[in-house]
Every structure is written in C-alpha cells, then in structure tokens.
Amino acid sequence: MLVCTVVMGSAAPRTAEDIERNIDRLISRMTIEEKIGQLNQLSNVGYNDNIAGQIRNGAVGSILNETDPETVNRLQKEAIENSRLGIPIVFARDVIHGFKTIFPIPLGQAATWNPELVELGARIAADEASSAGIRWTFSPMVDVARDARWGRIAEGAGEDPYLAGRMGAAMVRGYQGNDLSSPNTMAACVKHFAGYGASESGKDYNTTWIPDNLLRDVYLPPFKDAIDAGSATMMCSFNDINGVPSSGNIWLLRELLRNEWGYDGMMVSDWNSIGEMVSHGVCEDLGDAALKAAVAGVDMDMEAKAYISNLSDMVNSDRLPVARVDSMVRNVLRLKYRLGLFDNPYVDLKKANRFYSRTNLDAARRCAAESAVLLKNEGILPIDFKNKRVAVIGPMADAPYDQAGTWSFDLEKEHTVTPLATLRQIYGDNIIYAPGLDYSRELSTDGFDKAVEAAEQADIILFFAGEEAVLSGEAHCLADITLPGAQKKLISRLKETGRPIALVIMAGRPMAVAPQCEQADAVIYMFHPGTMGGPAIADLLSGNDNPSGKLPVSLPRVSGQFPLYYSHKNTGRPAENMTLINDIELEAPQTSTGCTSFYLDAGDGPLFPFGYGLSYTTFAYSDPELSDIVIPSDGNITATCTITNTGSMTGAETVQLYIRDIVGSLARPVKELKDFKKITLSPGESQTVTFTVDASRLGFHTLDGKYIVEPGEFKLWISGDSQSGTPASFKITHAGNASVK
Ligand code: GLC
C-alpha cells in the first residue's frame, strides 16, 4: 500500500461564517472597478511593469501559467502590499495528470479502476504544484466521451458517467485534501460544464445536440459527483448545447447549478469562451458577451478581457445590477478565503519546487502499471527476458516526451523513464533495439530493414506502437484513428519474419487497431503512461507484475464506428445474422444481408468492450445471488458473487456490477455500470463480493427532466467486463418519485 506522507499546513481554517462575514466587509469597501478586477483572470509568465501596474490597480483577480515560485511571490507582493485593499491573487495552472512527476493521462488513470490510487496521484500533483505557487488546477475533466475521434477523450475517464464520477471525485479529494486552506493543496476545477464530450462528429469545439434527459442521465452526473466531493470551482465549456453556448447558458449555470444543485463554488470561463459567444453568433460584440456571461453566472473571465473592459459600463448604465457583480465577486473571494490566501498568500521558498520524490515516482509507476490493459495473450507473456533475445522495435519504445501524453505542460522529459531504457538497464545485451520508425507519424520505410534484421536475431519481437502526445488532447481530433505513419506496414513486415510479436500500444485514445491485434500474439494497451511508464511496462512484460487494467472506453473495430459505447439502446432490430461485406454474393438481393443494426464492413460492437482486461491468471465468477427478487422503489437489495483465482499467479480483478431496466416508458440502455470493486486474489483464493443496489439509483430522467424509478423487471450482472456474465433478475414493485441520487 503506497502512502504519500504529505505534511499538511498548520494554519487553522476559518469557519464558513467567518468567511462570509469577511466577504461582506470587504465587498462593502470595494469600488466597482476593484470588484470587476477580481473577475479578471490573465495568463502571464514573468513579472513586468504592465502586469505589476494592473495588479496595483486591483485589476487582476487571478493569474494562470506562472510557475516560478519567486515570480509568484513577487506578483503576489504587488497585490498584498501595493494595491488599495491587499486582496491576494490566486495562481492557477492546468495540472491535469501530475505537475513534474507525470502520471498516466486521465483516461489511463480511469483504466486502473482504482479511485484511491487516482486520489493519491492528485494529492501528489497538488503537493508538487503548490510548492511552485500553484493553488488552483483546471482539473478534473469529467466530460463523458463516446467518440475517440475527439482528442480530448484523453483527458477524461471515458464513456461511462458512473466511472467518470468516481474518478472525478477521487481527483477532487486528492487535490483539495481534507483542509483546502493548507498551503500544499489546490482548488479543483471540475470541467467542462457541460456536454463538451458530445461534440458533433468528434470535432473539438463543435456544436452538441443533447436532449435534456440525456444531459441529465449521462453528461451531468459526473459533475454532480465532483461537486458532492467538494470541488471548489468549475469551468464552463466552449460548446453550445442545442444552440446555447455554456458561457451564456442561464439554465445551466444558474437554474440547474445554483438553484437546483445549490452549488456555492466559483465558475470560471474557459479560455476566451465568453468572447467566443460572438463567433457562436449569439452576441453582437464583446460587451454583449460580457453582459450575457455575467447574467448567466460566469464568475471569472479567463483571458477574454470582456469583464474588465465592459462590466463597469454595464453597471453604470443599469444594464447589469451591481448585486449580480457582488454575487460573482463573493464567489471569487470565498475561493481565496477557503484557500487560506488571506492568511498565507506566499509560497514558502524554503519548501519550493518539491518534485520527483521516490514516493511520488513509485506512485506514478504503480498507477502506470495498473493502467495497462492486457487485451490478448496467446502464451507469449510474460517474457523470459533473461533467457530470450528480444527485439525492441517501434516509435514509442523510447519516446520520453510522447510517453507523457497530452497536457504535460511542466514535463521535464529527461525524467521520463522509457521502456527501452528500462529493458536495456535490466536485460542488457538480450535487448536488440531498432526503432524502425523514429516517431509515430513517420512515413519513411528507411528504418525497416534494420528492424527486420533485429527481429531475425531475436526470439521475440516487442513492438511499441501508438501516437505522439500531440495527436490527442485539445483541438487534436482525428478522422482516422488507425495507427499513424508507416506503423501498420512495419508490423506486417515484422510478421513475415515468423517471430512472435508482443504489441504494446501507447495512445491518447482508443485506436482502431484490429488488424494489428490480429497479427500480434499478445497486446497490452496503455493510455500514455507518464514518467514511469517504462519501469511499469517492464514489470508487466517480465511477469514481475500482473496486468489488471480494464478498458474505460470501448475499443473500436474501425474508425467509423462512433459514437461507440457499451450502454447503448437495444433498438428495434439489434444486430444478428450479419452478412459481412466480403461474404455478400454478386447482385445480392436487397434484403439478403439481413435487416438489423450493423455495419456491412465492421459488423457490430467493439473489438474489445468497456470494462475488459485480461490477467496472467484467470478468474471464475459464480452466478450473482440476490437478497430479494422484489423490492420497492425506495428499497435496496444486496447482490453477491464469489470470484476465484483459478490460475497460478496472484492478480487483481475489477469486479463490475451492471443492471438493465428491461421495460421502461423510454427505451433503456442494454447495460449500465452501477458499481465496481477491485480485489486481489492469490492462486486458488476465493472472495465473495457484495454490492448494495439502491433502487433509487436505477431510475432515469423523463423527457420533461423528471427523475423517476419505474416498476418492472431488471437484470443484474456481476462480471469482469460489460459483455460477460450470467444475469440475475429482480423486480421493482411500484413507481415512486425517488429523489435524484
Ligand atoms: C483550454 C482548455 C481548458 C484549460 C484552459 C486553460 O482551452 O479548454 O481545459 O483548462 O484552456 O488552459
């Protein structure tokens, strides 16, 4: 069990009442310009007269992207000592999966299905980043994503709202600790509110069309989970929902978030998202956008300079009530009080830049190891490196920058430990290295001959495939998600050598790699594993560790299958009796290929399903047993299942609970994840896992946005992935207005 012993700060946190009283007093003394200054966030690197002057005039509430602790203190000093009211600045940064010690990208962290480990990673990120002066991170991103063409699928927890909520809440706990006023914490910022993952055709910043009940059943729940975990801030999204950009969406930001959910944290816009409402075509100009965003409830303006340049006119011309501005300022000041910045505004330079401790690196290694998903193993893993010659080939074998993945702003790639470096260090001359391609997009085949030569000298080929970090993340969407460059050609060339191939894929998304998985004898999938990806994969490949990752996203057969997700509707014609494209006779009659829901050129469903992942051992599941088979809509049942390690190696297994509402007033998904538990079993060991299933969590939102739990039959699975297992049935006896979970 890894424990990150982080010494928390000593200042006693102020009570909520103290904070509100202080805010009242402060607001009563502020001019309108000073109030609006608190709503202004600027991206800044370095100290200069211009920024110093703005700070002295009380025109800057927050600065993002300053990561030098001495500069942070110098800028902070201007605010504390040289502005009229001495209100501290809050310094922010995108610390998305680690600050200097880089953890797997969030999609990889989700593949661990280990919230405690994800929380530890966030705690470590906060400890490192706060030692550089960062007290606010723009994380967790909890956008449910079901289209791998969207580059930002890398930043979230994948396709399922329940898993996204568990991971988002874990990160909030990790960043904020148990006392946000401690100097080694960071305020979380759950983003992007909301519906961003539904960007049409997987193209970033694109429009979304999300019916209210889908928004409430799928895209909103992870935000509620992160808020319930205490996220101090939120960020609104770039996209429009049904034509309404989130930065101006009164229903979303006021009626739902403040009135229905009672959220009292601070809402920041995304970068210039206020200004982008002009481009969306819903605002005449920046002034109009500033007004719309302020009325909708965006408290702080990131980098649009819309508020600082327009709100005082809006107030002076009575188009914006000063009370609205006060409410926004209140949320900003509350954040700063909660962070303890009024008592402790400066970075302790004696403890500054505390990075890369052994504890931190070991936690990153553990996370990378648990994030790896074993998809296939036809007896060639683990590899006996001591007695085998292994040809290490491929563009991701020694890619210290790209192994870290997207949003690694503060990465120092010389600290990345790559698979090649690790394997060479341990196994020396048994490793024969020939990349074949120098980077993932390389089209030249000049390196192929050397790679084939290496393969022919070896007993086994270890191929590291995937995509460079820049091919996923913000604004990095792909219409074709097969392996880029000449990787496919190289793998085919290597296949001709007849040597067994172990394929390791490092990517920022689920890629369409069906042919390569077919050609390989074993496949391990890693979502850009971060600083310690090398030692982690070496432990797994050698059998010093046992893979336990499970897919947080469905792996597609081809690029064209999106949106793709396990919790789909059954439709009136679920796929069956499929005649595929190469089996169709010439001049085949119109209906001869079957009339059900599938692709002629891809069949139906994923290559590997959500929740799937193998181990070097095997696990047997008993049929689930239920405490009752009839329950009231405000009742619950317990479901138990005994899992046995039927193999010869200790292994961890994520036991997953799925349900299906067989008949509803609306068509219901064929499965929905409702709980999971990760257990470790030694060979021959059995463990009975018990889940409590509250009927109140088995409802859904109707077309008019009401949450209901309907009577009728349900099925329940307890299994190792979203496709396997034998269901048990139970009934809910009567309709009820169970409160939203
Ligand atoms: C970016 C991203 C957002 C990030 C912000 C600050 O455009 O959309 O996720 O936190 O700007 O860098």
Side-chain angles (χ1 to χ4, degrees), residues 64 94 138 152 191-192 235 238 270-271 302 407 474:
L64 70 150
D94 290 282
F138 301 123
R152 304 201 77 167
K191 70 185 185 181
H192 305 80
M235 181 186 291
F238 287 122
D270 200 339
W271 188 286
M302 181 193 292
W407 287 105
E474 182 174 356

Side-chain angles (χ1 to χ4, degrees), residues 101 356-366 415 531-532:
T101 302
Y356 304 120
S357 72
R358 187 71 258 152
T359 306
N360 295 3
L361 293 168
D362 287 348
R365 177 177 183 160
R366 178 82 253 129
H415 286 268
T531 300
M532 298 300 281

Side-chain angles (χ1 to χ4, degrees), residues 241-270:
I241 301 174
N242 312 338
V244 184
S246 300
S247 305
N249 190 328
I250 297 178
W251 173 81
L252 184 71
L253 303 186
R254 294 274 292 278
E255 288 165 36
L256 176 87
L257 182 65
R258 305 292 182 179
N259 302 342
E260 193 175 319
W261 288 2
Y263 183 61
D264 74 345
M266 197 264 276
M267 175 68 70
V268 66
S269 66
D270 200 339

Side-chain angles (χ1 to χ4, degrees), residues 41 43 64-65 93-96 137-139 141 143 152 155 189 191-192 196 204-205 235-238 269-272 276 302 407 409 474:
Q41 181 183 56
S43 177
L64 70 150
N65 296 329
R93 179 76 162 172
D94 290 282
V95 182
I96 305 300
T137 180
F138 301 123
S139 172
M141 188 269 223
D143 299 306
R152 304 201 77 167
E155 302 172 48
C189 180
K191 70 185 185 181
H192 305 80
Y196 190 19
D204 205 4
Y205 316 114
M235 181 186 291
C236 62
S237 61
F238 287 122
S269 66
D270 200 339
W271 188 286
N272 188 37
E276 289 180 6
M302 181 193 292
W407 287 105
F409 274 7
E474 182 174 356

Side-chain angles (χ1 to χ4, degrees), residues 365-428:
R365 177 177 183 160
R366 178 82 253 129
C367 196
E370 291 199 27
S371 75
V373 184
L374 178 62
L375 297 176
K376 176 182 180 182
N377 184 20
E378 287 176 356
I380 67 165
L381 293 183
I383 297 170
D384 176 7
F385 283 96
K386 292 196 173 73
N387 299 302
K388 298 260 187 204
R389 287 172 61 71
V390 178
V392 172
I393 303 170
M396 297 302 288
D398 195 35
Y401 177 84
D402 294 305
Q403 177 176 311
T406 188
W407 287 105
S408 298
F409 274 7
D410 299 291
L411 167 75
E412 294 169 311
K413 69 175 188 177
E414 55 276 15
H415 286 268
T416 302
V417 188
T418 66
L420 177 70
T422 310
L423 293 168
R424 268 182 164 160
Q425 185 198 7
I426 304 171
Y427 304 110

Side-chain angles (χ1 to χ4, degrees), residues 80-127:
I80 302 295
E81 297 185 13
N82 301 329
S83 75
R84 190 176 76 88
L85 293 169
I87 299 173
I89 290 169
V90 54
F91 289 86
R93 179 76 162 172
D94 290 282
V95 182
I96 305 300
H97 52 106
F99 185 61
K100 292 291 183 179
T101 302
I102 305 297
F103 279 66
I105 58 172
L107 192 57
Q109 294 190 39
T112 68
W113 293 60
N114 186 338
E116 293 70 32
L117 188 52
V118 169
E119 179 177 341
L120 175 59
R123 181 88 294 279
I124 288 168
D127 194 57

